[in-house]
């Protein structure tokens, strides 16, 4: 039988174990779309016409203009969907963006290049925490704690609009 001291000790250990998880729960309004303003370095999680949360973001190392081809260090612009979730990301957690679409592929092919892929919203991960404002290869990055929140709120199929 557990005495009171043992019970309190076990409860405290259980509570501490839960603090270390990167997976959060969210029970608020549905995120109906994500809107990113590259020029402002802002990402908004939106329900209807209400911004539920807003975050400062980092972009690709060459942040001005639309992504043209793989390796150009630009973040794409346009309408996409969140198409996958990666709980084992090298960047803490990540949400995949449905880039490239048919237009992106055609545009890259027209200049003899590949459109690339693997564009995500992700965290910073330890090795990227001290990097400058725009450091990704074309992705959208937030702080790890913020990514935990975003990951809990956003579902596969959510539209994302990336604007200049």
């Amino acid at each position: 039988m557990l005495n009171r001291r043992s019970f309190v000790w076990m409860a405290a250990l259980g509570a501490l174990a839960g603090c270390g998880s990167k997976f959060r729960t969210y029970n608020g309004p549905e995120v109906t779309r994500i809107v990113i303003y590259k020029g402002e370095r802002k990402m908004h999680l939106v329900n209807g016409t209400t911004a539920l949360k807003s975050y400062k973001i980092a972009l690709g190392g060459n942040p001005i203009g639309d992504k043209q081809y793989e390796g150009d260090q630009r973040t794409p612009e346009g309408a996409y969907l969140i198409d996958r979730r990666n709980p084992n990301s090298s960047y803490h957690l990540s949400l995949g963006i449905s880039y490239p679409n048919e237009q992106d592929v055609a545009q890259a092919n027209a200049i003899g290049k590949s459109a690339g892929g693997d564009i995500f919203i992700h965290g910073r991960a330890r090795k990227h925490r001290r990097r400058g404002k725009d450091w990704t290869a074309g992705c959208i990055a937030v702080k790890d704690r913020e990514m935990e929140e975003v990951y809990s709120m956003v579902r596969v199929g959510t539209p994302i609009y990336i604007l200049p």
Side-chain angles (χ1 to χ4, degrees):
M1 231 169 137
L2 290 176
N3 64 28
R4 183 179 170 150
R5 177 181 273 170
S6 295
F7 179 77
V8 170
W9 179 249
M10 296 288 279
L13 283 176
L16 284 175
C19 291
S21 176
K22 64 183 179 179
F23 301 105
R24 297 186 187 187
T25 58
Y26 174 72
N27 296 317
E30 175 187 7
V31 174
T32 57
R33 72 181 179 279
I34 301 168
V35 181
I36 293 175
Y37 294 99
K38 289 171 52 177
E40 296 174 13
R41 304 299 191 283
K42 285 286 206 173
M43 175 173 69
H44 306 281
L45 305 185
V46 179
N47 172 277
T49 59
T50 304
L52 301 172
K53 287 286 191 170
S54 297
Y55 304 91
K56 291 181 183 178
I57 58 171
L59 299 168
N62 186 9
I64 302 203
D66 190 10
K67 184 165 195 62
Q68 302 293 308
Y69 56 88
E70 183 174 23
D72 68 3
Q73 301 293 303
R74 290 185 175 154
T75 302
E77 295 173 0
Y80 301 95
L81 295 173
I82 296 300
D83 65 356
R84 60 202 181 279
R85 297 166 61 82
N86 184 358
N88 300 312
S89 173
S90 298
Y91 296 90
H92 194 57
L93 293 167
S94 62
L95 297 170
I97 297 173
S98 64
Y99 174 89
N101 60 30
E102 288 181 22
Q103 181 180 335
D104 298 320
V105 171
Q107 183 178 348
N109 288 343
I111 58 173
K113 305 252 184 181
S114 167
D118 286 340
I119 302 295
F120 288 86
I121 300 170
H122 60 65
R124 291 187 75 95
R126 291 194 192 283
K127 66 182 180 180
H128 303 288
R129 286 194 181 141
R130 301 282 183 235
R131 296 186 86 174
K133 180 167 68 171
D134 295 315
W135 57 271
T136 76
C139 295
I140 297 141
V142 295
K143 295 176 182 175
D144 287 351
R145 290 304 237 157
E146 294 171 338
M147 190 61 217
E148 292 172 8
E149 190 171 64
V150 172
Y151 194 86
S152 74
M153 294 174 74
V154 175
R155 301 288 165 241
V156 168
T158 302
I160 178 169
Y161 301 93
I162 306 172
L163 307 170

